[in-house]
Amino acid sequence: RRSLAVALALQGRWGEAESVLADVREQQERLTEDDELTETIGAQALVALLSGDAERGLVLAEEAEARARTADAVYLLVPILRVKGAALIDLDRAEEARTWLNEALEGCPEAEFERGFILAELARAAGPGDAAGLQAQAEAAWTDFGWVGSARYPRADPR
């Protein structure tokens, strides 16, 4: 259901996405599924970010990050740090965002779909001289995985 909520958010159906994630989170809190709950909180952060609520996205991303670090669930950190960095960029805190995005990039395997999103956010946070190169790297990563684009992560040429 978490994936359904993210799909709803990508379609701009924020209320439905938030409702599904709230239900999933409540269930996971009752069942104490720590890693699953951490991933759901990360998805809530992403939905908040995609809906334009960077403040809430940042708060949720920081909650998810703290849970992931405490549980030593390192595999969850890459997308959470990307959302945290993206929220910071949206809040005009690009320099701080670069720290978290670079940590996410360092933890992301070369052949990972998430890598394109991290590079796109780094391009948004970069100065004019670096942005084009980072965006080109994001495009190359997305091409490898067939990403066609979204409102936040549009493709220049989705071939």
Side-chain angles (χ1 to χ4, degrees), residues 11-29:
Q11 294 174 7
R13 296 164 61 183
W14 320 119
E16 291 173 82
E18 289 175 357
S19 177
V20 169
L21 286 172
D23 289 345
V24 170
R25 182 174 179 166
E26 181 182 319
Q27 179 183 22
Q28 289 170 340
E29 286 173 335

Side-chain angles (χ1 to χ4, degrees), residues 70-94:
T70 300
D72 203 27
V74 178
Y75 70 98
L76 295 175
L77 276 176
V78 169
I80 291 168
L81 293 176
R82 188 248 310 165
V83 172
K84 180 178 180 177
L88 288 165
I89 292 167
D90 288 0
L91 295 169
D92 294 323
R93 294 164 57 185

Side-chain angles (χ1 to χ4, degrees), residues 2 5-6 17-26 28-29 37-51 53 56-58 60-61 63-64 83:
R2 187 173 43 239
V6 171
E18 289 175 357
S19 177
V20 169
L21 286 172
D23 289 345
V24 170
R25 182 174 179 166
E26 181 182 319
Q28 289 170 340
E29 286 173 335
L37 177 57
T38 300
E39 197 167 355
T40 296
I41 296 167
Q44 287 180 307
L46 176 61
V47 169
L49 178 71
L50 293 175
S51 72
D53 191 348
R56 184 164 182 264
L58 178 59
L60 289 163
E63 179 184 357
V83 172

Side-chain angles (χ1 to χ4, degrees), residues 90-110:
D90 288 0
L91 295 169
D92 294 323
R93 294 164 57 185
E95 186 173 331
E96 187 180 349
R98 282 191 291 274
T99 299
W100 301 111
L101 292 167
N102 282 321
E103 182 179 340
L105 192 61
E106 288 172 17
C108 188
E110 192 68 36

